[in-house]
Amino acid sequence: MRAKAASINTPEGLPSPPERTFSVAGHILTAPKAVPGLHLVATPIGNLGDITLRALETLAGVDIIACEDTRITRRLTERYAITAQLKPYHEHNAALARPKILERLAQGASIALVSDAGTPLISDPGFKLVREVCAAGHPVMALPGPSSVLSALSVAALPTDRFFFEGFLPPKQTARRARLAELARIDATLVMFESGNRVQDTLRDLADIMGARDAAICREMTKMHEEVRRAPVSELARSADTLETRGEFVLVIGPPAAGAQIMNEDALDDLLRSSLQRDSVKDAVAHAVELSGRPRREIYARALELAKEAKKQTKTDISRKDVDGED
């Protein structure tokens, strides 16, 4: 660590350059100017004490900190007395902000990218920026640190040798169940995010599709009200009504048991309905055969039934619109 206690001694007659400093436990430390380039800095997911010394030195040493929400990042910089300039970079302004960041990098600036919490780019903005910075030939440096994905995976008491990170599931139930049916075929521990207002519904869908698997609900990781529940998915779904839904959730689902690769009928129907909305019967069947583990003949027959039902429903909806129009 290059940071050192700040000195007030300067050569006589020479102007003192502005010092880049940060504070830890009441001690003021100086930080050298960060090297030019884009620094991807992981920040705490709840407990501000989880920041690394290298991250603090870098945040104090850069010219600009690009962040999702300046109000949230300011809590961190004020905690450690960092005075670097904060600039917003989020999904709504990214197209306008990226060229400005690239221009500053071309001028030799050092810029840190942080998310509201955790490691940048993991379900957060940043991929397009990193891609364009690399294409322009500027250095990109990663500073590892807190991650809700790895934190939840480590406390779930589930296999960690292979895992698949899904991020957020679709908010609509039909699409969510279809996606869960696809995920059920992956021979690995699954890690996904969910919001408090949907977590109970998602647990019930998980129980229908993966009910026998061991799982963990991790709420508010590293925060004051951190809570971890471990049980089979079906049991977690039965107690979903007692779950505190305030906060942020990471769901960890164990891998399928050997031989438990056959998709149930409800999950198959969800998968077919979702596929038939965008694909032909032939393509929907091929997709379902790959994911479900069920015989093609059975899937084809069911796909025809569902396609017929969908066509009939469409005609009914059109007829109702015609009647409404006459009125």
Side-chain angles (χ1 to χ4, degrees):
M1 177 55 61
R2 294 168 293 173
K4 59 184 179 180
S7 172
I8 60 173
N9 297 319
T10 58
E12 188 174 351
L14 294 178
S16 176
E19 287 190 309
R20 300 167 185 265
T21 63
F22 61 99
S23 174
V24 177
H27 299 281
I28 304 300
L29 306 174
T30 59
K33 184 182 185 312
V35 298
L38 183 65
H39 302 254
L40 308 178
V41 182
T43 55
I45 58 178
N47 190 324
L48 292 182
D50 289 339
I51 192 75
T52 68
L53 288 174
R54 182 185 172 206
L56 291 174
E57 183 187 80
T58 299
L59 293 177
V62 295
D63 299 306
I64 296 171
I65 300 175
C67 48
E68 282 188 88
D69 189 326
T70 57
R71 295 167 298 179
I72 292 176
T73 300
R74 187 168 286 113
R75 297 174 195 162
L76 178 67
T77 55
E78 288 180 350
R79 164 74 176 268
Y80 294 101
I82 293 171
T83 59
Q85 185 179 24
L86 303 183
K87 290 286 188 180
Y89 183 85
H90 47 73
E91 60 181 340
H92 303 296
N93 79 336
L96 295 175
R98 273 196 303 275
K100 297 177 182 178
I101 292 175
L102 288 165
E103 182 180 355
R104 289 299 307 272
L105 290 173
Q107 296 169 353
S110 53
I111 299 176
L113 176 68
V114 302
S115 65
D116 285 347
T119 302
L121 278 71
I122 307 302
S123 276
D124 284 316
F127 157 67
K128 292 181 180 179
L129 174 61
V130 170
R131 181 175 60 185
E132 292 188 22
V133 170
C134 289
H138 305 302
V140 176
M141 295 145 278
L143 281 70
S147 166
S148 59
V149 175
L150 298 181
S151 296
L153 189 64
S154 64
V155 301
L158 294 168
T160 57
D161 54 332
R162 297 178 63 194
F163 68 91
F164 180 90
F165 174 56
E166 170 66 7
F168 282 97
L169 292 164
K172 301 287 187 179
Q173 186 182 47
T174 299
R176 182 170 62 240
R177 288 177 65 90
R179 180 56 183 158
L180 287 174
E182 295 175 341
L183 293 173
R185 299 283 294 166
I186 298 175
D187 186 18
T189 294
L190 307 174
V191 185
M192 57 194 74
F193 292 156
E194 193 51 279
S195 64
N197 62 340
R198 289 197 302 265
V199 66
Q200 293 170 325
D201 291 336
T202 295
L203 286 171
R204 295 183 184 104
D205 290 338
L206 277 166
D208 288 343
I209 297 169
M210 309 183 200
R213 299 197 196 181
D214 289 329
I217 304 173
C218 303
R219 185 179 75 90
E220 295 288 86
M221 293 302 299
T222 78
K223 300 178 184 178
M224 183 180 297
H225 300 291
E226 177 180 311
E227 179 185 8
V228 180
R229 293 190 184 186
R230 304 176 185 87
V233 173
S234 55
E235 182 177 328
L236 292 173
R238 283 195 296 271
S239 62
D241 290 338
T242 68
L243 186 66
E244 171 58 70
T245 58
R246 287 176 296 182
E248 300 174 345
F249 291 82
V250 184
L251 306 180
V252 187
I253 316 298
Q261 297 290 322
I262 305 302
M263 186 180 293
N264 65 40
E265 292 181 0
D266 288 342
L268 175 62
D269 282 359
D270 288 337
L271 177 62
L272 286 171
R273 286 192 181 97
S274 177
S275 296
L276 287 169
Q277 290 177 0
R278 61 181 185 274
D279 298 326
S280 66
V281 170
K282 179 181 177 182
D283 290 340
V285 168
H287 186 54
V289 167
E290 179 183 356
L291 294 174
S292 69
R294 287 178 172 269
R296 176 180 291 273
R297 180 178 298 179
E298 173 192 335
I299 294 174
Y300 182 70
R302 185 57 181 155
L304 289 177
E305 292 177 5
L306 293 175
K308 189 179 297 183
E309 289 178 9
K311 187 175 182 181
K312 183 178 179 180
Q313 183 61 47
T314 300
K315 289 182 178 179
T316 301
D317 293 342
I318 292 174
S319 297
R320 287 175 178 169
K321 289 180 180 179
D322 290 341
V323 171
D324 291 341
E326 291 175 359
D327 292 340

